[in-house]
Amino acid sequence: MAYWLFKSEPDVFGWPHQVAKGAVGEEWTGVRNYQARNNMRAMKVGDLGFFYHSNIGKEIVGIVEVIRESAPDSTTDDPRWDCVMVRAVEALPKPVSLEACKVEPGLERMVLVNNTRLSVQPVTPEEWRILCRMGGLTG
DNA sequence: GCCAACGTTGGC
DNA sequence: GCCAACGTTGGC
């Protein structure tokens, strides 16, 4: 199983929106970047990802699960773009800020810290473990 | 609101 | 295929 991180601007589509979709989940639409799209294409059902609030908050607020592999993005006719579906799993008891990530040993190479513009990015198992601990999750 | 970083587009 | 112009993201 692989780990990922999804960025979203909370005033457009935030964690509460994702939670409101429940187990049905929601398509992660709107990605118009090849690298981000390729990351989605690499996802398998059951993969987990962090839900990150960009611009406002700038923190990891929750965990989502991939529930459908990449398929055409319903918000465009352009066949180049597709997206996965994700559902909310749980909120982080303690959201992890970008600032905290930058200074945390072990997260120096995290994509979030080094490539601010990539909206869907991979997270290593080690980074995942560190971030879950920082977020107040024991598992 | 600014701007750095980065990606895309299109002329040549 | 190069690269200048332009557009977007997202931290600050």
Side-chain angles (χ1 to χ4, degrees):
Chain A
M1 177 175 73
Y3 299 105
W4 311 92
L5 183 143
F6 298 82
K7 283 189 195 174
S8 189
E9 298 182 42
D11 52 350
V12 178
F13 187 83
W15 177 248
H17 298 98
Q18 183 67 59
V19 170
K21 298 292 179 181
V24 175
E26 177 77 352
E27 283 188 303
W28 198 264
T29 57
V31 170
R32 302 290 182 267
N33 170 285
Y34 292 109
Q35 213 179 335
R37 183 208 62 186
N38 290 344
N39 285 334
M40 287 199 290
R41 287 186 174 178
M43 293 177 191
K44 307 288 187 196
V45 171
D47 280 0
L48 297 177
F50 287 122
F51 193 110
Y52 175 80
H53 280 168
S54 63
N55 287 318
I56 301 168
K58 283 172 288 186
E59 57 189 8
I60 298 169
V61 293
I63 291 177
V64 293
E65 176 188 9
V66 176
I67 58 172
R68 191 204 66 195
E69 295 186 10
S70 206
D73 183 336
S74 62
T75 62
T76 178
D77 291 330
D78 192 328
R80 292 178 298 171
W81 307 120
D82 47 46
C83 58
V84 296
M85 283 186 75
V86 298
R87 72 169 179 91
V89 175
E90 61 182 331
L92 292 188
K94 295 188 298 177
V96 179
S97 69
L98 175 63
E99 195 179 11
C101 291
K102 285 183 173 178
V103 299
E104 181 72 14
L107 298 183
E108 298 89 351
R109 308 181 71 152
M110 198 183 169
V111 182
L112 185 68
V113 172
N114 294 295
N115 183 357
T116 59
R117 297 195 49 196
L118 186 60
S119 62
V120 180
Q121 47 185 262
V123 173
T124 69
E126 176 67 5
E127 289 164 351
W128 184 269
R129 192 185 61 75
I130 293 171
L131 289 162
C132 284
R133 176 173 49 74
M134 293 170 74
L137 295 174
T138 52

